[in-house]
mmCIF file of all heavy atoms in Angstrom:
data_model
loop_
_atom_site.group_PDB
_atom_site.id
_atom_site.type_symbol
_atom_site.label_atom_id
_atom_site.label_comp_id
_atom_site.label_asym_id
_atom_site.label_seq_id
_atom_site.Cartn_x
_atom_site.Cartn_y
_atom_site.Cartn_z
ATOM 1 N N THR A 1 0.819 -1.207 -0.007
ATOM 2 C CA THR A 1 -0.002 -0.002 -0.008
ATOM 3 C C THR A 1 0.856 1.245 0.002
ATOM 4 O O THR A 1 0.624 2.178 -0.787
ATOM 5 C CB THR A 1 -0.938 0.017 1.246
ATOM 6 O OG1 THR A 1 -1.726 -1.175 1.211
ATOM 7 C CG2 THR A 1 -1.810 1.218 1.233
ATOM 8 N N LEU A 2 1.882 1.265 0.863
ATOM 9 C CA LEU A 2 2.778 2.428 0.920
ATOM 10 C C LEU A 2 3.527 2.578 -0.387
ATOM 11 O O LEU A 2 3.721 3.724 -0.853
ATOM 12 C CB LEU A 2 3.758 2.289 2.085
ATOM 13 C CG LEU A 2 3.116 2.410 3.481
ATOM 14 C CD1 LEU A 2 4.190 2.127 4.526
ATOM 15 C CD2 LEU A 2 2.515 3.796 3.679
ATOM 16 N N ARG A 3 3.933 1.491 -0.974
ATOM 17 C CA ARG A 3 4.670 1.552 -2.247
ATOM 18 C C ARG A 3 3.765 2.132 -3.334
ATOM 19 O O ARG A 3 4.208 2.949 -4.147
ATOM 20 C CB ARG A 3 5.170 0.178 -2.649
ATOM 21 C CG ARG A 3 6.123 0.194 -3.796
ATOM 22 C CD ARG A 3 6.740 -1.151 -4.075
ATOM 23 N NE ARG A 3 7.625 -1.540 -2.998
ATOM 24 C CZ ARG A 3 7.523 -2.688 -2.297
ATOM 25 N NH1 ARG A 3 6.580 -3.546 -2.600
ATOM 26 N NH2 ARG A 3 8.367 -2.938 -1.318
ATOM 27 N N SER A 4 2.496 1.745 -3.347
ATOM 28 C CA SER A 4 1.571 2.275 -4.349
ATOM 29 C C SER A 4 1.345 3.794 -4.120
ATOM 30 O O SER A 4 1.286 4.557 -5.083
ATOM 31 C CB SER A 4 0.259 1.532 -4.353
ATOM 32 O OG SER A 4 -0.481 1.787 -3.173
ATOM 33 N N TYR A 5 1.203 4.200 -2.864
ATOM 34 C CA TYR A 5 1.065 5.635 -2.565
ATOM 35 C C TYR A 5 2.296 6.404 -2.984
ATOM 36 O O TYR A 5 2.197 7.486 -3.566
ATOM 37 C CB TYR A 5 0.809 5.879 -1.079
ATOM 38 C CG TYR A 5 -0.579 5.469 -0.585
ATOM 39 C CD1 TYR A 5 -0.766 5.012 0.709
ATOM 40 C CD2 TYR A 5 -1.696 5.522 -1.425
ATOM 41 C CE1 TYR A 5 -2.001 4.651 1.169
ATOM 42 C CE2 TYR A 5 -2.934 5.143 -0.985
ATOM 43 C CZ TYR A 5 -3.082 4.702 0.322
ATOM 44 O OH TYR A 5 -4.317 4.357 0.772
ATOM 45 N N TYR A 6 3.467 5.851 -2.713
ATOM 46 C CA TYR A 6 4.735 6.489 -3.066
ATOM 47 C C TYR A 6 4.830 6.609 -4.595
ATOM 48 O O TYR A 6 5.187 7.660 -5.117
ATOM 49 C CB TYR A 6 5.894 5.715 -2.501
ATOM 50 C CG TYR A 6 7.232 6.284 -2.802
ATOM 51 C CD1 TYR A 6 7.656 7.462 -2.214
ATOM 52 C CD2 TYR A 6 8.074 5.653 -3.758
ATOM 53 C CE1 TYR A 6 8.910 7.994 -2.485
ATOM 54 C CE2 TYR A 6 9.299 6.211 -4.038
ATOM 55 C CZ TYR A 6 9.721 7.357 -3.408
ATOM 56 O OH TYR A 6 10.939 7.901 -3.738
ATOM 57 N N ASP A 7 4.524 5.533 -5.291
ATOM 58 C CA ASP A 7 4.582 5.568 -6.755
ATOM 59 C C ASP A 7 3.616 6.609 -7.327
ATOM 60 O O ASP A 7 3.963 7.330 -8.281
ATOM 61 C CB ASP A 7 4.296 4.206 -7.353
ATOM 62 C CG ASP A 7 5.408 3.193 -7.067
ATOM 63 O OD1 ASP A 7 6.555 3.641 -6.795
ATOM 64 O OD2 ASP A 7 5.139 1.992 -7.151
ATOM 65 N N GLN A 8 2.424 6.651 -6.761
ATOM 66 C CA GLN A 8 1.438 7.607 -7.218
ATOM 67 C C GLN A 8 1.904 9.062 -6.975
ATOM 68 O O GLN A 8 1.730 9.908 -7.837
ATOM 69 C CB GLN A 8 0.092 7.358 -6.506
ATOM 70 C CG GLN A 8 -1.014 8.254 -6.973
ATOM 71 C CD GLN A 8 -2.319 7.959 -6.257
ATOM 72 O OE1 GLN A 8 -2.357 7.156 -5.337
ATOM 73 N NE2 GLN A 8 -3.377 8.617 -6.659
ATOM 74 N N SER A 9 2.515 9.289 -5.810
ATOM 75 C CA SER A 9 2.977 10.635 -5.522
ATOM 76 C C SER A 9 4.140 11.010 -6.452
ATOM 77 O O SER A 9 4.255 12.153 -6.907
ATOM 78 C CB SER A 9 3.382 10.794 -4.081
ATOM 79 O OG SER A 9 4.486 9.939 -3.770
ATOM 80 N N LEU A 10 5.013 10.062 -6.752
ATOM 81 C CA LEU A 10 6.122 10.329 -7.698
ATOM 82 C C LEU A 10 5.565 10.653 -9.103
ATOM 83 O O LEU A 10 6.047 11.561 -9.767
ATOM 84 C CB LEU A 10 7.059 9.137 -7.782
ATOM 85 C CG LEU A 10 8.045 8.971 -6.642
ATOM 86 C CD1 LEU A 10 8.926 7.767 -6.880
ATOM 87 C CD2 LEU A 10 8.904 10.220 -6.482
ATOM 88 N N ASN A 11 4.562 9.890 -9.510
ATOM 89 C CA ASN A 11 3.967 10.137 -10.832
ATOM 90 C C ASN A 11 3.316 11.512 -10.878
ATOM 91 O O ASN A 11 3.407 12.230 -11.878
ATOM 92 C CB ASN A 11 2.953 9.057 -11.185
ATOM 93 C CG ASN A 11 3.624 7.717 -11.435
ATOM 94 O OD1 ASN A 11 4.811 7.654 -11.788
ATOM 95 N ND2 ASN A 11 2.895 6.640 -11.267
ATOM 96 N N THR A 12 2.644 11.889 -9.802
ATOM 97 C CA THR A 12 1.986 13.193 -9.740
ATOM 98 C C THR A 12 3.031 14.318 -9.794
ATOM 99 O O THR A 12 2.891 15.285 -10.543
ATOM 100 C CB THR A 12 1.136 13.316 -8.473
ATOM 101 O OG1 THR A 12 0.185 12.274 -8.458
ATOM 102 C CG2 THR A 12 0.431 14.659 -8.417
ATOM 103 N N ALA A 13 4.090 14.170 -9.007
ATOM 104 C CA ALA A 13 5.147 15.179 -8.985
ATOM 105 C C ALA A 13 5.823 15.250 -10.342
ATOM 106 O O ALA A 13 6.130 16.352 -10.827
ATOM 107 C CB ALA A 13 6.171 14.849 -7.910
ATOM 108 N N SER A 14 6.069 14.136 -10.986
ATOM 109 C CA SER A 14 6.659 14.147 -12.318
ATOM 110 C C SER A 14 5.755 14.859 -13.334
ATOM 111 O O SER A 14 6.234 15.601 -14.186
ATOM 112 C CB SER A 14 6.961 12.734 -12.783
ATOM 113 O OG SER A 14 7.865 12.107 -11.942
ATOM 114 N N GLY A 15 4.475 14.625 -13.198
ATOM 115 C CA GLY A 15 3.535 15.310 -14.066
ATOM 116 C C GLY A 15 3.552 16.806 -13.857
ATOM 117 O O GLY A 15 3.504 17.562 -14.848
ATOM 118 N N TYR A 16 3.626 17.242 -12.591
ATOM 119 C CA TYR A 16 3.731 18.685 -12.328
ATOM 120 C C TYR A 16 5.003 19.279 -12.927
ATOM 121 O O TYR A 16 4.976 20.355 -13.482
ATOM 122 C CB TYR A 16 3.669 18.949 -10.846
ATOM 123 C CG TYR A 16 2.336 18.738 -10.177
ATOM 124 C CD1 TYR A 16 2.239 18.386 -8.849
ATOM 125 C CD2 TYR A 16 1.142 18.880 -10.901
ATOM 126 C CE1 TYR A 16 1.024 18.174 -8.241
ATOM 127 C CE2 TYR A 16 -0.054 18.663 -10.314
ATOM 128 C CZ TYR A 16 -0.144 18.305 -8.973
ATOM 129 O OH TYR A 16 -1.345 18.104 -8.372
ATOM 130 N N LEU A 17 6.105 18.576 -12.785
ATOM 131 C CA LEU A 17 7.350 19.062 -13.356
ATOM 132 C C LEU A 17 7.300 19.168 -14.861
ATOM 133 O O LEU A 17 7.792 20.113 -15.464
ATOM 134 C CB LEU A 17 8.519 18.142 -12.954
ATOM 135 C CG LEU A 17 8.965 18.285 -11.505
ATOM 136 C CD1 LEU A 17 10.042 17.234 -11.187
ATOM 137 C CD2 LEU A 17 9.495 19.660 -11.228
ATOM 138 N N GLU A 18 6.655 18.187 -15.488
ATOM 139 C CA GLU A 18 6.543 18.242 -16.951
ATOM 140 C C GLU A 18 5.661 19.438 -17.360
ATOM 141 O O GLU A 18 5.948 20.126 -18.337
ATOM 142 C CB GLU A 18 5.927 16.931 -17.488
ATOM 143 C CG GLU A 18 6.892 15.800 -17.547
ATOM 144 C CD GLU A 18 8.069 16.117 -18.463
ATOM 145 O OE1 GLU A 18 7.872 16.664 -19.541
ATOM 146 O OE2 GLU A 18 9.192 15.774 -18.067
ATOM 147 N N ASP A 19 4.578 19.699 -16.584
ATOM 148 C CA ASP A 19 3.711 20.831 -16.881
ATOM 149 C C ASP A 19 4.506 22.133 -16.775
ATOM 150 O O ASP A 19 4.362 23.052 -17.607
ATOM 151 C CB ASP A 19 2.505 20.874 -15.955
ATOM 152 C CG ASP A 19 1.538 19.754 -16.240
ATOM 153 O OD1 ASP A 19 1.611 19.149 -17.342
ATOM 154 O OD2 ASP A 19 0.676 19.479 -15.377
ATOM 155 N N ILE A 20 5.322 22.226 -15.762
ATOM 156 C CA ILE A 20 6.128 23.433 -15.536
ATOM 157 C C ILE A 20 7.127 23.608 -16.683
ATOM 158 O O ILE A 20 7.319 24.718 -17.192
ATOM 159 C CB ILE A 20 6.852 23.408 -14.188
ATOM 160 C CG1 ILE A 20 5.825 23.586 -13.087
ATOM 161 C CG2 ILE A 20 7.936 24.454 -14.087
ATOM 162 C CD1 ILE A 20 6.359 23.345 -11.686
ATOM 163 N N ARG A 21 7.760 22.488 -17.071
ATOM 164 C CA ARG A 21 8.711 22.568 -18.178
ATOM 165 C C ARG A 21 8.052 22.962 -19.484
ATOM 166 O O ARG A 21 8.601 23.675 -20.273
ATOM 167 C CB ARG A 21 9.452 21.261 -18.321
ATOM 168 C CG ARG A 21 10.465 21.020 -17.235
ATOM 169 C CD ARG A 21 11.328 19.803 -17.494
ATOM 170 N NE ARG A 21 12.221 19.588 -16.392
ATOM 171 C CZ ARG A 21 12.316 18.461 -15.700
ATOM 172 N NH1 ARG A 21 11.550 17.442 -16.036
ATOM 173 N NH2 ARG A 21 13.156 18.382 -14.692
ATOM 174 N N GLU A 22 6.838 22.468 -19.679
ATOM 175 C CA GLU A 22 6.118 22.824 -20.914
ATOM 176 C C GLU A 22 5.758 24.317 -20.939
ATOM 177 O O GLU A 22 5.715 24.906 -22.014
ATOM 178 C CB GLU A 22 4.836 21.977 -21.026
ATOM 179 C CG GLU A 22 5.118 20.513 -21.370
ATOM 180 C CD GLU A 22 3.858 19.707 -21.391
ATOM 181 O OE1 GLU A 22 2.740 20.253 -21.255
ATOM 182 O OE2 GLU A 22 3.977 18.465 -21.519
ATOM 183 N N LEU A 23 5.482 24.890 -19.792
ATOM 184 C CA LEU A 23 5.193 26.305 -19.736
ATOM 185 C C LEU A 23 6.420 27.168 -19.858
ATOM 186 O O LEU A 23 6.333 28.381 -19.994
ATOM 187 C CB LEU A 23 4.444 26.622 -18.419
ATOM 188 C CG LEU A 23 3.081 26.010 -18.261
ATOM 189 C CD1 LEU A 23 2.570 26.304 -16.852
ATOM 190 C CD2 LEU A 23 2.123 26.536 -19.294
ATOM 191 N N LYS A 24 7.566 26.553 -19.758
ATOM 192 C CA LYS A 24 8.855 27.222 -19.859
ATOM 193 C C LYS A 24 8.992 28.310 -18.807
ATOM 194 O O LYS A 24 9.533 29.386 -19.041
ATOM 195 C CB LYS A 24 9.086 27.778 -21.264
ATOM 196 C CG LYS A 24 9.118 26.716 -22.340
ATOM 197 C CD LYS A 24 9.395 27.289 -23.693
ATOM 198 C CE LYS A 24 9.393 26.188 -24.728
ATOM 199 N NZ LYS A 24 9.625 26.662 -26.055
ATOM 200 N N LEU A 25 8.538 28.007 -17.609
ATOM 201 C CA LEU A 25 8.620 28.967 -16.516
ATOM 202 C C LEU A 25 10.068 29.181 -16.078
ATOM 203 O O LEU A 25 10.416 30.284 -15.676
ATOM 204 C CB LEU A 25 7.772 28.517 -15.310
ATOM 205 C CG LEU A 25 6.279 28.524 -15.531
ATOM 206 C CD1 LEU A 25 5.563 28.026 -14.283
ATOM 207 C CD2 LEU A 25 5.796 29.924 -15.878
ATOM 208 N N GLU A 26 10.889 28.133 -16.157
ATOM 209 C CA GLU A 26 12.263 28.262 -15.786
ATOM 210 C C GLU A 26 12.983 29.286 -16.658
ATOM 211 O O GLU A 26 13.712 30.156 -16.184
ATOM 212 C CB GLU A 26 13.002 26.935 -15.883
ATOM 213 C CG GLU A 26 12.522 25.914 -14.876
ATOM 214 C CD GLU A 26 13.128 24.529 -15.114
ATOM 215 O OE1 GLU A 26 14.012 24.422 -15.975
ATOM 216 O OE2 GLU A 26 12.714 23.604 -14.420
ATOM 217 N N GLU A 27 12.688 29.195 -17.958
ATOM 218 C CA GLU A 27 13.327 30.143 -18.902
ATOM 219 C C GLU A 27 12.823 31.559 -18.675
ATOM 220 O O GLU A 27 13.584 32.525 -18.712
ATOM 221 C CB GLU A 27 13.039 29.685 -20.342
ATOM 222 C CG GLU A 27 13.688 30.519 -21.398
ATOM 223 C CD GLU A 27 13.411 29.999 -22.782
ATOM 224 O OE1 GLU A 27 13.158 28.824 -22.954
ATOM 225 O OE2 GLU A 27 13.393 30.856 -23.704
ATOM 226 N N LYS A 28 11.520 31.675 -18.406
ATOM 227 C CA LYS A 28 10.954 33.014 -18.166
ATOM 228 C C LYS A 28 11.542 33.629 -16.895
ATOM 229 O O LYS A 28 11.830 34.793 -16.864
ATOM 230 C CB LYS A 28 9.433 32.899 -18.049
ATOM 231 C CG LYS A 28 8.772 32.615 -19.370
ATOM 232 C CD LYS A 28 7.244 32.490 -19.208
ATOM 233 C CE LYS A 28 6.592 32.095 -20.521
ATOM 234 N NZ LYS A 28 5.155 31.934 -20.388
ATOM 235 N N ALA A 29 11.691 32.803 -15.856
ATOM 236 C CA ALA A 29 12.275 33.319 -14.605
ATOM 237 C C ALA A 29 13.731 33.720 -14.829
ATOM 238 O O ALA A 29 14.174 34.737 -14.303
ATOM 239 C CB ALA A 29 12.152 32.253 -13.514
ATOM 240 N N LYS A 30 14.463 32.939 -15.596
ATOM 241 C CA LYS A 30 15.843 33.257 -15.849
ATOM 242 C C LYS A 30 15.977 34.559 -16.654
ATOM 243 O O LYS A 30 16.795 35.415 -16.342
ATOM 244 C CB LYS A 30 16.507 32.118 -16.628
ATOM 245 C CG LYS A 30 18.018 32.200 -16.708
ATOM 246 C CD LYS A 30 18.608 31.067 -17.530
ATOM 247 C CE LYS A 30 18.293 29.721 -16.903
ATOM 248 N NZ LYS A 30 18.926 28.631 -17.605
ATOM 249 N N ASN A 31 15.104 34.724 -17.652
ATOM 250 C CA ASN A 31 15.103 35.959 -18.434
ATOM 251 C C ASN A 31 14.727 37.159 -17.584
ATOM 252 O O ASN A 31 15.340 38.226 -17.714
ATOM 253 C CB ASN A 31 14.143 35.841 -19.620
ATOM 254 C CG ASN A 31 14.650 34.884 -20.693
ATOM 255 O OD1 ASN A 31 15.829 34.573 -20.739
ATOM 256 N ND2 ASN A 31 13.759 34.414 -21.521
ATOM 257 N N LEU A 32 13.769 37.008 -16.696
ATOM 258 C CA LEU A 32 13.361 38.079 -15.813
ATOM 259 C C LEU A 32 14.531 38.469 -14.917
ATOM 260 O O LEU A 32 14.792 39.666 -14.714
ATOM 261 C CB LEU A 32 12.154 37.648 -14.959
ATOM 262 C CG LEU A 32 11.642 38.701 -13.962
ATOM 263 C CD1 LEU A 32 11.124 39.915 -14.703
ATOM 264 C CD2 LEU A 32 10.566 38.065 -13.115
ATOM 265 N N TYR A 33 15.240 37.490 -14.385
ATOM 266 C CA TYR A 33 16.410 37.775 -13.532
ATOM 267 C C TYR A 33 17.486 38.528 -14.309
ATOM 268 O O TYR A 33 18.037 39.526 -13.806
ATOM 269 C CB TYR A 33 16.971 36.479 -12.967
ATOM 270 C CG TYR A 33 18.240 36.658 -12.189
ATOM 271 C CD1 TYR A 33 18.227 37.170 -10.913
ATOM 272 C CD2 TYR A 33 19.475 36.322 -12.750
ATOM 273 C CE1 TYR A 33 19.376 37.366 -10.202
ATOM 274 C CE2 TYR A 33 20.651 36.508 -12.033
ATOM 275 C CZ TYR A 33 20.606 37.020 -10.769
ATOM 276 O OH TYR A 33 21.755 37.209 -10.076
ATOM 277 N N VAL A 34 17.791 38.093 -15.512
ATOM 278 C CA VAL A 34 18.828 38.742 -16.307
ATOM 279 C C VAL A 34 18.425 40.191 -16.618
ATOM 280 O O VAL A 34 19.255 41.108 -16.489
ATOM 281 C CB VAL A 34 19.101 37.933 -17.606
ATOM 282 C CG1 VAL A 34 19.959 38.716 -18.563
ATOM 283 C CG2 VAL A 34 19.748 36.603 -17.270
ATOM 284 N N GLU A 35 17.190 40.399 -17.028
ATOM 285 C CA GLU A 35 16.725 41.738 -17.376
ATOM 286 C C GLU A 35 16.755 42.648 -16.138
ATOM 287 O O GLU A 35 17.117 43.808 -16.211
ATOM 288 C CB GLU A 35 15.334 41.690 -17.956
ATOM 289 C CG GLU A 35 15.272 41.042 -19.341
ATOM 290 C CD GLU A 35 13.873 40.792 -19.838
ATOM 291 O OE1 GLU A 35 12.913 41.154 -19.112
ATOM 292 O OE2 GLU A 35 13.746 40.257 -20.938
ATOM 293 N N THR A 36 16.334 42.111 -14.986
ATOM 294 C CA THR A 36 16.339 42.908 -13.760
ATOM 295 C C THR A 36 17.728 43.296 -13.340
ATOM 296 O O THR A 36 17.982 44.425 -12.985
ATOM 297 C CB THR A 36 15.622 42.129 -12.641
ATOM 298 O OG1 THR A 36 14.293 41.797 -13.086
ATOM 299 C CG2 THR A 36 15.524 42.952 -11.365
ATOM 300 N N THR A 37 18.662 42.318 -13.354
ATOM 301 C CA THR A 37 20.007 42.629 -12.931
ATOM 302 C C THR A 37 20.657 43.631 -13.895
ATOM 303 O O THR A 37 21.451 44.497 -13.473
ATOM 304 C CB THR A 37 20.873 41.362 -12.811
ATOM 305 O OG1 THR A 37 20.808 40.653 -14.044
ATOM 306 C CG2 THR A 37 20.404 40.501 -11.695
ATOM 307 N N THR A 38 20.354 43.533 -15.176
ATOM 308 C CA THR A 38 20.918 44.467 -16.151
ATOM 309 C C THR A 38 20.420 45.880 -15.860
ATOM 310 O O THR A 38 21.192 46.841 -15.853
ATOM 311 C CB THR A 38 20.531 44.054 -17.587
ATOM 312 O OG1 THR A 38 21.023 42.733 -17.826
ATOM 313 C CG2 THR A 38 21.106 44.988 -18.610
ATOM 314 N N ALA A 39 19.110 46.010 -15.600
ATOM 315 C CA ALA A 39 18.549 47.315 -15.303
ATOM 316 C C ALA A 39 19.110 47.863 -14.015
ATOM 317 O O ALA A 39 19.433 49.074 -13.929
ATOM 318 C CB ALA A 39 17.008 47.227 -15.223
ATOM 319 N N VAL A 40 19.246 47.068 -12.994
ATOM 320 C CA VAL A 40 19.789 47.538 -11.708
ATOM 321 C C VAL A 40 21.217 47.969 -11.870
ATOM 322 O O VAL A 40 21.615 49.026 -11.325
ATOM 323 C CB VAL A 40 19.648 46.431 -10.635
ATOM 324 C CG1 VAL A 40 20.458 46.767 -9.390
ATOM 325 C CG2 VAL A 40 18.188 46.236 -10.255
ATOM 326 N N ARG A 41 22.009 47.238 -12.635
ATOM 327 C CA ARG A 41 23.397 47.649 -12.849
ATOM 328 C C ARG A 41 23.483 48.976 -13.621
ATOM 329 O O ARG A 41 24.304 49.841 -13.280
ATOM 330 C CB ARG A 41 24.129 46.565 -13.653
ATOM 331 C CG ARG A 41 24.520 45.373 -12.843
ATOM 332 C CD ARG A 41 25.327 44.390 -13.664
ATOM 333 N NE ARG A 41 25.498 43.179 -12.911
ATOM 334 C CZ ARG A 41 25.513 41.953 -13.450
ATOM 335 N NH1 ARG A 41 25.369 41.811 -14.759
ATOM 336 N NH2 ARG A 41 25.670 40.902 -12.698
#
């Protein structure tokens, strides 16, 4: 039972990570950081 719960939670977390990667939020956050630091400098 615990193994099935663990596997299910891993699958859910992997799905969330894939959704985030598809939205390219990491790239957007990185671009926002670069633009902000450039402006501050």
Side-chain angles (χ1 to χ4, degrees):
T1 303
L2 291 175
R3 191 173 293 125
S4 69
Y5 288 149
Y6 180 73
D7 290 340
Q8 184 180 5
S9 64
L10 283 180
N11 291 337
T12 302
S14 297
Y16 289 152
L17 286 175
E18 284 299 318
D19 290 345
I20 289 171
R21 285 189 184 124
E22 287 176 8
L23 294 174
K24 298 182 181 179
L25 292 179
E26 293 173 7
E27 184 178 332
K28 290 178 183 178
K30 192 182 298 184
N31 289 341
L32 179 64
Y33 174 76
V34 169
E35 291 171 1
T36 302
T37 54
T38 302
V40 167
R41 284 184 189 144

